[in-house]
Every structure is written in C-alpha cells, then in structure tokens.
Amino acid sequence: MQFFDTHAHIGLIFEDPIEQLRVIQQAKQADVTRIVSINNSLFDFQKVYQNLRHLPGVYHAVGVAPAEVQNPGKDWIDIIEKSLSLPNVVAVGECGLDYYKQFGDKRSQIELFITQLEIAQAHNKPVIIHNREAGRDVYDILTERLPERGAIMHCYSEDGAFASNCLDKNIYFSFAGNLTYRNARNLHETIMVLKDAGATDKILIETESPFMIPAEFREKKRTMPAYLPSTARFLAEMLEMDLEELAAMLWKNSCRIFNIPE
C-alpha cells in the first residue's frame, strides 16, 4: 500500500536541506512514496527543487500564489516557463484567488491567475488552484479558461453544491487534514456528493504541510507528509472502502491528473 501526497510545502516545513531530506524519508517510512512539492515563492521553488530534484517519488509544481501578487518577482513568467521543462515538474501552481486576506486588489489577483492558466495550457500541464472565499470568481474563470490537462482545487473548502457544478469539467478535488475535523461539514458533504455522483475518480488527498494538521495529530506544531495516512483512513471510513482499495484509487487519480506513470 502506498500513498500520494499531492500538496506539501516542503520548504515551509524546514528551510534546512538536511531536514527536508528527513521529511521525505519519514514520509516513505509511512508509505507516502510520492509527494508534489509546492513552492511558497519562485525563489523557494528554486532552492527546494535543487535540493530534492534527484529523489525518486518527489515531484514539483511551480507558480505564483495570490500572496505574491504585489511582488511576483522579476521575469516571473519566464522563470515559470523555463521551470516547467525541468524533470519532474508536473504542474503550475499553486495559483488562484484569495479574497480572505485581500492580497493586492481583486483585479491584479485575477490577472495573475489567468496568466498562469494560460501558461499551463501552453505547456500542457494541470494547474493547482488556491481558492479562499473566491469561489464564484474561480468558477467563472475556470469555465472559460480551464487548461486542457485540468485543475486541482487544492485544500478544498467549498461545499457540495460547488463540487457538483464542477463535475462536467476536468477538475479534481483535493482534501487535506481538515477533512478529519468534526465541524468540517461542508467537506463531509462534498465527499458524499462525489460518492453519490460516481465521481470518486476525482478525489485526491494532500497534507498541505505544514498546515492543516489532521485531528489525530492536533498536538503537533506542523503537519508532515508522513501524516497523510491519517486523512486516508478517515476518508476510507466515509466512503465505506477498504483502506488498501482507497489508497490504490487515490494513487491512480493522482497519477492521472499529473500525467505520470503509475
């Protein structure tokens, strides 16, 4: 049995390169054998990529998050496009919209988001989407500009109705450790919507390390990729599936969206 962490900020767990390698080793000991490393900034991407690029099972996404909208960096488009040609760089992201913290203004966020959707389309890559209190605009933009390779709604936070409206699109739904919280009713509702619609092939899981600690590990200071099986066990109970069966399904789903061999 093996698990695929589709979203982990390795560079935010630890800045130290040796500690980053230990994070990957600990994950493998917990049967988390594939991880997509998500950058916090383009500078962060370059550091973490160089440190982890030779490790089997470690993949990377590159993009500019809404938090960086006011300072995406010099030549950021060129940096993303060049990075997408590197080995094991499998997606654009995370990128999207965040109206909760109001980074910059909405128009600037939308322009930054759309540009990265266009980059993903041009390079035949999926896009990893950050959405916080911006669901309406995210949905409208994806309706017109969804890359052919699809998108992942990472750390899903909308409700079942939103997911239902997305089912006719090549959109996947990734659930983090907050799925295990008792009060996460919108997430639990969404899982049931996907199950009833026969759309479990669109479900992914992630740690969103170092954030979104699963309930089982609430006493910890940060999430680690090694904690992913805790979220998987909770999801298996919700879907009334055997854990090994669920792990195999999630593995296939993850490999499909990132276009990598199983």
Side-chain angles (χ1 to χ4, degrees):
M1 182 167 56
Q2 52 190 349
F3 297 97
F4 195 136
D5 185 352
T6 63
H7 197 106
H9 295 271
I10 304 298
L12 289 181
I13 304 174
F14 292 111
E15 291 186 7
D16 181 73
I18 299 300
E19 292 295 341
Q20 291 174 3
L21 296 176
R22 288 176 181 166
V23 166
I24 304 302
Q25 182 59 38
Q26 290 170 355
K28 290 186 176 180
Q29 291 172 354
D31 297 322
V32 182
T33 57
R34 284 184 177 176
I35 300 170
V36 176
S37 173
I38 310 294
N39 62 277
N40 189 49
S41 68
L42 293 181
F43 178 67
D44 174 66
F45 165 80
Q46 292 168 327
K47 290 193 302 179
V48 176
Y49 181 83
Q50 289 302 317
N51 189 43
L52 303 179
R53 62 193 178 97
H54 294 304
L55 293 184
V58 179
Y59 299 87
H60 302 265
V62 60
V64 179
E68 301 291 310
V69 66
Q70 292 176 299
N71 185 26
K74 183 180 179 181
D75 301 324
W76 66 271
I77 294 176
D78 188 51
I79 292 172
I80 292 176
E81 292 190 319
K82 288 181 178 178
S83 298
L84 289 171
S85 66
L86 296 172
N88 294 332
V89 177
V90 296
V92 174
E94 64 183 274
C95 60
L97 303 176
D98 191 322
Y99 295 166
Y100 176 73
K101 291 192 175 181
Q102 299 179 346
F103 301 110
D105 58 85
K106 288 185 179 181
R107 181 173 180 176
S108 296
Q109 283 199 35
I110 289 170
E111 290 175 352
L112 181 68
F113 182 30
I114 289 175
T115 298
Q116 291 180 89
L117 292 174
E118 292 171 346
I119 292 172
Q121 175 64 22
H123 290 265
N124 195 33
K125 300 290 186 184
V127 63
I128 298 172
I129 295 175
H130 174 109
N131 167 36
R132 193 169 187 190
E133 297 190 6
R136 182 73 258 174
D137 283 352
V138 167
Y139 179 84
D140 288 345
I141 291 168
L142 290 180
T143 297
E144 295 183 359
R145 300 177 181 271
L146 179 66
E148 186 174 350
R149 282 295 313 160
I152 298 169
M153 300 291 291
H154 115 81
C155 195
Y156 188 79
S157 60
E158 297 287 343
D159 58 14
F162 185 96
S164 183
N165 288 335
C166 294
L167 289 180
D168 63 338
K169 301 174 177 60
N170 189 17
I171 294 177
Y172 287 62
F173 309 89
S174 185
F175 297 90
N178 56 338
L179 178 69
T180 67
Y181 302 169
R182 288 184 179 181
N183 63 352
R185 296 184 182 88
N186 60 326
L187 305 186
H188 303 161
E189 171 191 291
T190 300
I191 293 295
M192 292 299 102
V193 166
L194 296 174
K195 178 184 178 182
D196 292 344
T200 55
D201 62 337
K202 297 291 186 68
I203 295 176
L204 309 172
I205 58 173
E206 63 178 84
T207 55
E208 170 67 324
S209 302
F211 314 108
M212 297 297 175
I213 301 174
E216 180 181 353
F217 298 99
R218 288 294 283 270
E219 77 281 1
K220 303 292 185 179
K221 293 183 178 180
R222 63 189 75 182
T223 312
M224 310 283 257
Y227 300 167
L228 188 69
S230 179
T231 301
R233 287 191 292 270
F234 187 92
L235 179 59
E237 292 182 8
M238 289 195 69
L239 293 175
E240 299 180 313
M241 294 178 68
D242 175 80
L243 182 59
E244 289 194 15
E245 179 187 7
L246 175 73
M249 181 192 79
L250 294 172
W251 184 270
K252 289 182 178 180
N253 294 352
S254 303
C255 293
R256 185 187 317 115
I257 183 60
F258 290 119
N259 194 30
I260 58 178
E262 292 184 23

